[in-house]
């Protein structure tokens, strides 16, 4: 299901609305697009995210999927955006390395990221230079009855980010996500094995995008 993509990297299709925000773009990629990272916005509405993308030096992903299934393209896919964060070690999951290969320890965020970025894209998770980012509207909410930890120094937003549980994506969101991922896989020659939820690739709230399903059967085109 290949789709038309213009020279700037914008999809031309009735299912995708152009909402490009140049403020989140960080320059043209210098390498091949090899993967997709699926996120959630930690916001209740698409409008709040779209507005935030207009701020100077804002961060964001290439696509935003609303709760009703509307797909917005917010950055050109040939442009890099900052959406992944420091990489985790993929080889620890595949069994191709061991904790001893990380002298600073497996919990040392920046040293691990530096080691990973020296590897070829296929041997690590896709970073900002190689990954297309897809955001799904959805907020992290503290569980009912949540007790603030003793001696807590975090703000409520920080507590929500650490202990909150993200909304389950709607059926319409997952249908739209499945269509978009399939279109990008076919158009950009991205392997199905290179699609990841944000917490798989980076150190994020483990519930982010846990309900994302990009394997639904969708009609074409």
């Amino acid at each position: 299901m290949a789709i038309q993509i213009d020279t700037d990297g914008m999809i031309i299709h009735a299912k995708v609305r152009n909402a490009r925000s140049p403020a989140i773009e960080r320059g043209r990629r210098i390498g091949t697009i090899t993967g997709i990272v699926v996120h959630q916005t930690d916001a209740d509405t698409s409008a709040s995210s779209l507005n935030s993308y207009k701020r100077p030096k804002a961060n964001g992903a290439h696509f935003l999927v609303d709760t009703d299934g509307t797909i917005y393209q917010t950055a050109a896919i040939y442009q890099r955006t900052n959406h992944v964060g420091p990489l985790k070690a993929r080889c620890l999951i595949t069994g191709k390395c061991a904790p001893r290969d990380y002298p600073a320890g497996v919990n040392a965020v920046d040293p691990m990221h530096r080691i990973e970025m020296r590897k070829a894209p296929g041997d690590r998770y896709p970073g900002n230079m190689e990954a297309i980012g897809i955001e799904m509207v959805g907020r992290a909410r503290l569980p009912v009855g949540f007790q603030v930890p003793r001696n807590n120094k975090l703000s409520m937003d920080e507590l929500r980010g650490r202990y909150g549980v993200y909304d389950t994506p709607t059926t319409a969101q997952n249908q739209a996500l499945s269509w978009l991922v399939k279109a990008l896989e076919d158009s950009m020659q991205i392997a199905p094995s290179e699609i990841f939820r944000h917490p798989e690739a980076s150190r994020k709230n483990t519930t982010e995008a846990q309900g994302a399903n990009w394997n639904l059967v969708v009609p074409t085109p």
Side-chain angles (χ1 to χ4, degrees), residues 9-11 16-25 46 49-51 53-54 59-65 71-77 79 81 133-135:
M10 299 299 293
I11 289 177
V16 181
R17 297 187 184 182
N18 186 328
R20 187 176 182 180
S21 294
I24 69 174
E25 297 178 348
S46 59
S49 295
L50 291 171
N51 287 334
Y53 293 168
K54 298 175 184 177
N59 289 323
H62 299 85
F63 297 92
L64 176 66
V65 182
I71 301 171
Y72 299 92
Q73 185 170 359
T74 50
I77 60 174
Q79 291 280 327
T81 73
I134 302 175
E135 290 272 13

Side-chain angles (χ1 to χ4, degrees), residues 3 11 25 28 35 55 60 64 67 71 77 91 93 118 140 145 147 156 162-163 165 168 170 175 185 203 205 213:
I3 52 175
I11 289 177
E25 297 178 348
R28 196 168 180 89
R55 298 171 188 160
L64 176 66
T67 54
I71 301 171
I77 60 174
C91 60
I93 302 300
R118 292 197 289 266
Q147 297 292 317
M156 288 307 295
R162 180 175 296 184
Y163 300 107
V165 178
T168 300
T170 67
Q175 288 173 337
E185 284 178 343
R203 299 169 192 260
N205 182 313
N213 182 358

Side-chain angles (χ1 to χ4, degrees), residues 8-47:
D8 286 333
M10 299 299 293
I11 289 177
I12 301 173
H13 195 285
K15 287 183 178 290
V16 181
R17 297 187 184 182
N18 186 328
R20 187 176 182 180
S21 294
I24 69 174
E25 297 178 348
R26 295 293 185 272
R28 196 168 180 89
R29 300 179 194 267
I30 58 173
T32 302
I33 295 170
T34 61
I36 297 171
V37 175
V38 180
H39 309 251
Q40 281 182 286
T41 60
D42 197 19
D44 287 307
T45 67
S46 59

Side-chain angles (χ1 to χ4, degrees), residues 36-39 82-90 93 106 109-110 112-113 116-117 124-128 131 196-208:
I36 297 171
V37 175
V38 180
H39 309 251
N82 291 338
H83 65 95
V84 181
L87 296 182
K88 294 163 73 172
R90 185 175 185 175
I93 302 300
V106 296
V109 177
D110 290 337
M112 176 176 283
H113 176 71
E116 292 307 295
M117 289 305 295
R124 57 170 169 81
Y125 292 114
N128 292 324
F196 302 98
R197 295 175 176 83
H198 198 190
E200 292 180 272
S202 190
R203 299 169 192 260
K204 302 297 177 180
N205 182 313
T206 57
T207 70
E208 182 184 353

